[in-house]
Amino acid sequence: MVLASTNPNEPDLKEFEKVFRKYYEPLCRYAYSIVRDADEAEEIVQEFFYTFWLNRNRISIRLSLKSYLYRSIRNSALRYLQHKNIEDQYRTQDYALNHVESPEQVIQGNEMAGIIDKTLKGLPERTRQIFLLNRINGLKYKEIADLLKISIKTVEADMGKALLELRLQLKRAGF
């Protein structure tokens, strides 16, 4: 496909517009399937067509235009994801560096953990087991009830007892 007329100073804008109209939406959908962000997908395709137009006289398409377009969008989308991943890593590192706990916070956290541990050990076995299955293992009340072969109401009641006791002990300790 030729995007420049025989006179290199007069580009064939109509041919470019045809290509743009034909492929813009499908390329946006393709980019979205990779980046999972509609705005970014459109940005990738728009940026590609802008660069494509600027470099049209230097681009040599050996196979098919469609293959070239899709491969270019794929590469751009993958570069975007790679860049986003690096940004996320820096953001996580920056958060970790800026949110270092003070020695007082560490001591307070350890005290709280000790109170929670002591309170849990003082609970009846089934109540402790239900609490741990819910809060540590992330099981829902129905899953716990099925696992322990008890009613959901029993799970709810035991969770209520455990939470009440934890609140009471933490309040007594000044938390």
Side-chain angles (χ1 to χ4, degrees):
M1 164 143 295
V2 177
L3 292 178
S5 66
T6 52
N7 180 353
N9 297 327
E10 293 180 26
D12 190 354
L13 186 58
K14 289 182 182 179
E15 193 64 36
F16 177 79
E17 286 176 355
K18 276 197 261 182
V19 170
F20 182 85
R21 285 193 182 112
K22 180 177 180 179
Y23 290 104
Y24 181 78
E25 287 299 323
L27 289 173
C28 284
R29 285 192 300 273
Y30 181 61
Y32 175 79
S33 74
I34 298 169
V35 299
R36 295 292 180 205
D37 182 321
D39 292 335
E40 287 301 329
E42 277 196 70
E43 184 71 28
I44 288 167
V45 174
Q46 289 170 1
E47 182 65 30
F48 165 76
F49 273 113
Y50 174 74
T51 305
F52 185 67
W53 177 253
L54 289 179
N55 297 311
R56 68 191 176 278
N57 292 325
R58 288 182 250 143
I59 296 172
S60 174
I61 300 172
R62 290 181 176 39
L63 298 173
S64 75
L65 175 65
K66 183 177 179 180
S67 296
Y68 176 81
L69 295 173
Y70 277 89
R71 187 176 62 247
S72 297
I73 293 301
R74 179 181 166 274
N75 291 341
S76 295
L78 292 175
R79 274 192 306 276
Y80 163 79
L81 289 176
Q82 186 178 31
H83 179 74
K84 185 174 182 261
N85 187 26
I86 290 169
E87 282 180 341
D88 290 346
Q89 287 175 357
Y90 279 117
R91 202 172 295 118
T92 302
Q93 288 173 353
D94 185 48
Y95 179 82
L97 290 174
N98 291 326
H99 291 85
V100 176
E101 292 182 335
S102 69
E104 294 84 18
Q105 289 171 317
V106 172
I107 291 168
Q108 193 175 32
N110 289 340
E111 287 176 20
M112 187 182 290
I115 292 167
I116 292 170
D117 191 44
K118 184 179 176 184
T119 303
L120 289 176
K121 286 180 181 174
L123 293 173
E125 178 61 32
R126 187 184 69 200
T127 305
R128 180 176 58 251
Q129 186 179 19
I130 288 170
F131 181 85
L132 293 174
L133 286 170
N134 178 256
R135 297 301 167 116
I136 305 300
N137 296 357
L139 296 180
K140 302 205 180 314
Y141 287 4
K142 170 124 178 64
E143 294 170 322
I144 296 169
D146 291 343
L147 182 69
L148 300 179
K149 297 182 182 12
I150 56 177
S151 73
I152 294 175
K153 290 290 184 190
T154 303
V155 173
E156 290 171 356
D158 280 356
M159 276 300 293
K161 290 175 193 172
L163 292 171
L164 182 66
E165 187 62 28
L166 280 168
R167 279 189 213 105
L168 211 145
Q169 295 302 323
L170 289 170
K171 189 174 183 179
R172 281 186 190 153
F175 289 100

